[in-house]
Amino acid sequence: MVPEIINSSIDIQQHFQYIDTREKDYIEEAKSLFNSGFYSYSMLAIWNAAINNLKRRVEAYSVELWSTVVKDEAGRKKYDKTGETITERWSNVDDLILIKGATSLGLLNPKAGKSLEMINWMRNHASPAHDSDNRVEREDVISLILLLQKNLFEKSFPEPGHTISTIFEPLKTTNLNTEELEILKDQIKSFRTLDIRTTYGFFMEIINSGNEPSLSNIINLFPTLWEFCDEDLRKVIGVKYHNLVLDPNSDDSPDKGAKTRIFEQIIRLNAVNYIPDGTRARIFRRAADKLRTTKNTSYGWHLEESAALNINQLGTSVPSVAFEEVYQEIIAVWCGNFWGRSSSHTNLQPFFNDLNTDKVRIITNMFLNNERVLEELSQRKPKDEALELLRSLEAKLTIEAHKQELQNAINYISRL
């Protein structure tokens, strides 16, 4: 079956209403080349038509949002809004970046996106410009053009009036009041999955740049958006922070404060667990160091309480690589010293609430072998707190051998 788009009897401009004159010329060229047996050249002409059509769709929807979703892609992505022609405006944008951004925004059907990626591969490996054993055949062209015909050229253009950019335009210029924020929260709740992803990218860009009043408005709206984000989308903010930690020079914000703003947002969302393990371990180790410093400070209980509140804000997702380093300081503060203990234990309680069997066994072993944990347990008050903690962990164990390990630790501490 020959696609209608290269059928010599079809009036392209009349039959496909979403193409312009330039695209018609490319398609007519493709028809002529196809009918003459120049299949690879025909495919290149279709590529030109598709890319031009895609550029127009992005411009009809929102170049600003397209720029947001491709911001972290490697390659040229600088759209020139001052260009007089579509060629000038997109001259510094790689075609594959255009395709990725349009697919992310839902302007390009994923099947059409993969078709264009395949054509791009053929341009580089199987076109007339490259000698190859895998030349483009008639059937290759037909199959790819059929996909583009149904999933690109026949699709209507997006409506420009109901874009994410338009909906959130007011937050860029005005400090929104409670009622206005509630309207936007309700708008978020009505979004499709694709709208949620686009809004997420838009919000992240504002947090990165730190411009006011946009930032203050976004801080109020982000928790509502977060409720509708899937796990993969939630990981984005953690990876962004991780990358800024590893490469501070990647911070392109005006004040170079993106890392701090993103971490603050992670804390507000209780999302530290979405930071990759290596960077998360660093964060918890620093918080544990503060506990250690305050524990060793004379008359420093108020400092302990502050340090405990600090680590409490991080949540309990301590990575395994730093588990013992962090928990030895938590336990040391929890048990206190000769004089007793501060109220820090109330902020440290969550770290013992959801322990699984493996972590309970690690803590049990720490009461037998960890010098920092054992440091003050010869004193009556810290010993009593340690025993109470160990006994509270028994309910988390099922296997008798594990319970016996715990009892051995209790007996050991009791004899100190």
Side-chain angles (χ1 to χ4, degrees):
M1 179 178 68
V2 177
E4 293 177 341
I5 205 166
I6 54 173
N7 188 329
S8 58
S9 64
I10 293 293
D11 184 335
I12 294 298
Q13 191 75 49
Q14 181 178 356
H15 194 74
F16 296 97
Q17 57 180 310
Y18 302 113
I19 65 173
D20 66 5
T21 302
R22 182 175 189 154
E23 291 152 24
K24 177 187 177 182
D25 291 342
Y26 281 133
I27 293 172
E28 293 290 355
E29 179 184 345
K31 286 167 58 175
S32 177
L33 291 166
F34 182 88
N35 291 329
S36 299
F38 296 108
Y39 303 120
S40 55
Y41 290 101
S42 173
M43 185 186 65
L44 295 179
I46 288 294
W47 164 270
N48 290 333
I51 292 299
N52 192 80
N53 187 271
L54 198 53
K55 291 173 181 176
R56 292 195 300 114
R57 288 175 186 270
V58 172
E59 290 185 345
Y61 185 67
S62 171
V63 173
E64 180 183 8
L65 289 178
W66 175 87
S67 297
T68 297
V69 299
V70 302
K71 183 177 185 295
D72 294 325
E73 296 288 344
R76 298 184 308 147
K77 47 185 177 284
K78 186 176 181 180
Y79 176 84
D80 182 7
K81 60 183 178 181
T82 64
E84 295 184 1
T85 67
I86 195 167
T87 300
E88 291 176 356
R89 293 191 292 274
W90 292 92
S91 60
N92 288 315
V93 176
D94 291 335
D95 290 336
L96 287 181
I97 302 294
L98 166 67
I99 293 167
K100 287 182 180 179
T103 304
S104 297
L105 290 172
L107 303 178
L108 183 64
N109 184 297
K111 289 186 289 185
K114 290 299 181 183
S115 299
L116 287 172
E117 290 178 14
M118 176 61 74
I119 293 175
N120 184 66
W121 182 88
M122 289 184 173
R123 289 169 66 213
N124 294 324
H125 298 90
S127 73
H130 301 86
D131 188 24
S132 172
D133 294 329
N134 300 301
R135 301 301 300 275
V136 177
E137 304 293 343
R138 181 177 186 273
E139 291 75 15
D140 299 329
V141 178
I142 290 175
S143 60
L144 290 168
I145 291 178
L146 274 172
L147 283 167
L148 291 177
Q149 176 179 300
K150 296 296 182 183
N151 297 289
L152 177 63
F153 293 116
E154 291 183 356
K155 296 293 183 181
S156 60
F157 265 57
E159 293 290 338
H162 188 65
T163 64
I164 304 301
S165 178
T166 303
I167 290 170
F168 291 109
E169 189 65 32
L171 62 77
K172 296 180 181 179
T173 56
T174 306
N175 280 308
L176 301 179
N177 60 35
T178 301
E179 182 179 357
E180 292 163 342
L181 287 169
E182 287 301 318
I183 291 173
L184 290 180
K185 288 177 183 178
D186 285 339
Q187 185 70 48
I188 291 171
K189 293 174 184 177
S190 71
F191 281 165
R192 303 168 300 154
T193 301
L194 179 60
D195 294 328
I196 293 295
R197 296 187 67 86
T198 303
T199 304
Y200 189 97
F202 179 63
F203 282 12
M204 284 294 297
E205 181 62 25
I206 288 175
I207 291 173
N208 183 76
S209 64
N211 294 327
E212 291 288 4
S214 304
L215 179 61
S216 295
N217 291 325
I218 290 302
I219 287 171
N220 284 296
L221 293 173
F222 215 131
T224 301
L225 179 71
W226 188 256
E227 294 177 21
F228 298 93
C229 295
D230 59 29
E231 288 298 295
D232 287 339
L233 197 54
R234 289 184 174 192
K235 291 176 183 177
V236 171
I237 193 169
V239 172
K240 178 67 174 176
Y241 177 74
H242 169 79
N243 290 339
L244 286 169
V245 169
L246 293 181
D247 182 14
N249 292 328
S250 65
D251 184 351
D252 57 1
S253 62
D255 63 353
K256 302 299 180 183
K259 183 178 74 171
T260 299
R261 283 189 294 273
I262 289 173
F263 186 66
E264 288 173 344
Q265 188 60 38
I266 287 173
I267 296 297
R268 294 186 194 102
L269 296 171
N270 192 25
V272 170
N273 56 307
Y274 292 103
I275 299 175
D277 282 5
T279 300
R280 184 153 40 97
R282 175 177 180 262
I283 294 169
F284 274 103
R285 285 189 180 112
R286 287 186 171 185
D289 284 344
K290 289 182 180 179
L291 279 178
R292 185 184 188 92
T293 300
T294 57
K295 175 71 164 58
N296 294 339
T297 301
S298 299
Y299 304 101
W301 279 5
H302 68 289
L303 298 176
E304 262 189 20
E305 291 161 2
S306 176
L309 179 59
N310 176 68
I311 199 169
N312 173 276
Q313 284 187 309
L314 300 178
T316 61
S317 58
V318 181
S320 58
V321 68
F323 186 86
E324 187 162 345
E325 296 171 71
V326 173
Y327 266 79
Q328 68 181 18
E329 304 306 331
I330 291 174
I331 293 171
V333 171
W334 173 277
C335 294
N337 57 29
F338 173 83
W339 306 104
R341 63 177 180 174
S342 68
S343 63
S344 302
H345 61 92
T346 58
N347 282 316
L348 299 177
Q349 179 65 54
F351 288 91
F352 300 105
N353 288 343
D354 300 317
L355 295 171
N356 60 27
T357 299
D358 290 338
K359 290 179 179 177
V360 170
R361 295 183 69 198
I362 293 173
I363 289 174
T364 298
N365 186 64
M366 290 170 68
F367 275 97
L368 294 170
N369 300 296
N370 187 289
E371 291 184 6
R372 176 63 173 165
V373 169
L374 295 169
E375 200 169 66
E376 300 199 52
L377 297 191
S378 60
Q379 307 291 335
R380 182 182 61 81
K381 289 183 178 180
K383 178 191 292 188
D384 288 346
E385 298 296 348
L387 291 171
E388 182 180 346
L389 174 61
L390 286 170
R391 291 179 183 125
S392 72
L393 298 178
E394 184 177 5
K396 299 180 181 296
L397 299 175
T398 301
I399 298 175
E400 189 60 35
H402 298 162
K403 291 182 179 181
Q404 187 58 52
E405 290 174 355
L406 182 63
Q407 187 59 49
N408 291 342
I410 292 172
N411 294 339
Y412 178 76
I413 299 299
S414 297
R415 293 193 297 267
L416 291 176

